[in-house]
Each structure stands twice: as C-alpha cells, then as structure tokens.
Amino acid sequence: MDTDTKPTGAVVAGIDGTELDLLILTAAVAESLTRKAPLHVRHCRELLDPNLAIVSAGGWPVTVEDSDGGVLEAARQTVATLAPELDATYDSPAGRPENLLVDASETAALVVVGTGRKSRLEELLLGTVALNVAAHATCPVLVVPPGSDADAKGDIAVGVDGSDHSRAAVEEAVRVARARAAKLVVVSTWNHELIDGYVVTEPDSPEWRAVEERITAMQERVLSGIDTSGVEVELRSVKGGIRTTLSTLSDDTAMLVVGNRGRGGFKSKALGSVTRDLLKRSSCPVMVVHAPRG
C-alpha cells in the first residue's frame, strides 16, 4: 500500500537516500513486526533540493511525485525483501528533515533515524537531524549508528537514575525486551560517594555495600508498578561515569534505552548532555524516551 497518509500508531522510518537507509529500514521493519504496527517510510528532502520544482502556496511540506531520485522505490524493494507481509506506506515531503520527522512523531509509535559521525564543530554549528528529532519528538526515537546491527539479538539495557524520564525509559525498555524475548539490564552508576567522612573506594567495605543497596532500592522503586511479567530483569550497579559505562555496554548490547530530561521546543538544545554524548559514541542502536509532560 503506497500513500502519503501516515497511519496512526506507525513506526516511522526517516530516510535520506544515503547508505544508512538500509540500517534504518532494517531496524524499523524489526520494530514494526515486534510491535505489530504498520510501517511508514518518510524520505525527507531539504527545500534546497535542486530536483524540487514545486512548493505549496500554503507552505511546506509538499510531496512531489517521482522527484525523489528513486529513493522511495529502493525503500519499497528493501521492505519487500525484509518483510513482504508488512503493511507499509511511503511519502516524500519537502522541508527540514527534523521538522518533518517531529511532525510525524505526533501520531507515531516510534521514529527511527540514522546518525552520521559529525565533528563537534559541525554539531555546534549545524546540529544533526538525529539529535534534533531525539530531543523534540513526542514519541520514542530509535537512533541507529553506522556500523551497528540494526536487528541484533541480545540484552536490552536501560539507564536509570530514579527520575521520571528514567521511569518512562524503563517502561519502554520492558516493552522492547518482552517483544524480543530478551533480558532487560537495568543500569545505574555512581562515582564519588562519601559516607561518614569516608570516601567509598573498597569493594568489600560496608560503605560500598551500603551504596549498592541504596541504588538497588532506587531501581526497585522505579520498577514498582511496571508489569515485568515474562521479562528477565537484572539490576546492575556500576561505579564509574554514566557516559563511559553505557557506551562500553553498547558493545555487547542489542539496544540501549535512555530517558530524555530536556524541556522540549525548538528554542533550546533540549537533549540532555549524557544522551547527546551516548548518541555519538554508542555502537548499538539507542532509543530515546521522553517522560510525559504535565
């Protein structure tokens, strides 16, 4: 089924005609199948695309048939090869890709995007589609890095710090782990802890155990009320920085899930610094989840 109408509750794959499209489509197809959700493939074209000849008088986005350089046809063939039974729709609107994908997120179950490895200067000056979509989408966003296995088997890991956004991340991670029949690893980190004037450094000390017991209690509070039936859950406490811990964990994990503490809106860089760093360093796909806004 080919139409420019996005079905509600779809997994939206944002493609751009680069070599990352295969990874994005592979991840999006896998998510559609596990969620039993339709797939919508959106080829986002910049307004400055030299092939674009028509712009709607009412403003963009606008879809121009047969002007996407065959990107959608290649996507159709890829999806048909990966999952011929999957209900998929396609469109190719023009406009800023991040705006088009954030717009799609309003009725989507998930948005899947890829990310290139840009320099710090390029990110500062230009931003990236992946970072902006992850920051501002209203549904979870799965960011697929180059070289990753978009349909890998293995554990699902989720970072937890006790906040509302980490609880939202756990809820989504449980759903992912259940759908994939995977183990869920709940990870929290700690670094400089001081107990009764004692800097905690010895793994076998009562102070070390006290810190780990406190973190375990926090993780259990976050999990309380969340249905984890049918999911193997491991609680893991790690001494060290959260950035290094999660990026290292990504080497042996099928997916990382993190919550976003950003405020939303395009007037600010709303993506948390830990999440931004993880999207640049992770070797596996990263799902960014927003806590519901009150």
Side-chain angles (χ1 to χ4, degrees):
M1 177 168 57
D2 296 338
T3 174
D4 60 3
T5 302
K6 305 184 301 295
T8 299
V11 172
V12 175
I15 62 174
D16 61 2
T18 67
E19 63 277 4
L20 277 175
D21 285 359
L22 178 58
L23 278 175
I24 294 167
L25 290 170
T26 300
V29 166
E31 285 294 319
S32 291
L33 292 174
T34 59
R35 293 169 181 262
K36 297 180 174 57
L39 173 69
H40 183 74
V41 180
R42 170 158 283 192
H43 173 215
C44 302
R45 292 172 297 138
E46 293 279 5
L47 281 173
L48 297 179
D49 186 337
N51 295 319
L52 184 61
I54 301 174
V55 177
S56 168
W60 44 270
V62 61
T63 298
V64 182
E65 296 297 331
D66 302 322
S67 62
D68 69 337
V71 174
L72 285 188
E73 180 56 34
R76 290 185 185 98
Q77 294 177 10
T78 297
V79 172
T81 299
L82 293 171
E85 76 284 6
L86 187 59
D87 183 20
T89 56
Y90 304 80
D91 70 356
S92 184
R96 292 188 63 181
E98 55 264 51
N99 288 10
L100 296 171
L101 292 173
V102 169
D103 172 68
S105 77
E106 294 178 2
T107 57
L110 177 73
V111 173
V112 183
V113 294
T115 178
R117 301 303 194 192
K118 290 192 174 184
S119 70
R120 184 178 298 274
L121 178 60
E122 287 175 316
E123 286 174 358
L124 179 63
L125 295 178
L126 302 175
T128 68
V129 172
L131 290 177
N132 282 330
V133 174
H136 306 297
T138 56
C139 71
V141 177
L142 183 62
V143 180
V144 185
S148 64
D149 185 348
D151 193 22
K153 307 300 180 185
D155 296 345
I156 306 300
V158 57
V160 170
D161 63 6
S163 62
D164 288 342
H165 63 270
S166 68
R167 180 179 174 85
V170 169
E171 290 176 337
E172 186 65 20
V174 167
R175 190 210 59 75
V176 173
R178 180 180 289 112
R180 294 180 174 221
K183 181 170 75 172
L184 177 64
V185 181
V186 178
V187 182
S188 301
T189 62
W190 58 281
N191 210 333
H192 303 293
E193 291 284 343
L194 193 68
I195 297 180
D196 295 331
Y198 175 85
V199 179
V200 182
T201 57
E202 298 296 327
D204 294 327
S205 67
E207 291 82 5
W208 186 291
R209 289 193 294 273
V211 172
E212 293 202 322
E213 288 170 0
R214 174 174 55 80
I215 290 176
T216 297
M218 176 272 291
Q219 293 172 328
E220 290 174 343
R221 285 196 302 272
V222 171
L223 283 163
S224 65
I226 297 176
D227 179 13
T228 59
S229 58
V231 179
E232 179 185 356
V233 179
E234 175 189 341
L235 303 183
R236 188 178 299 179
S237 171
V238 180
K239 186 179 187 300
I242 185 64
R243 292 172 172 82
T244 300
T245 298
L246 291 180
S247 61
T248 299
L249 190 60
S250 73
D251 293 337
D252 301 305
T253 301
M255 183 188 297
L256 291 176
V257 183
V258 293
N260 179 45
R261 66 172 72 244
R263 293 173 296 168
F266 279 99
K267 292 184 178 180
S268 64
K269 293 284 186 179
L271 201 63
S273 60
V274 171
T275 303
R276 286 176 59 88
D277 192 57
L278 184 59
L279 292 182
K280 291 185 289 183
R281 298 170 60 180
S282 175
S283 56
C284 74
V286 178
M287 184 177 291
V288 181
V289 181
H290 298 263
R293 294 192 178 104

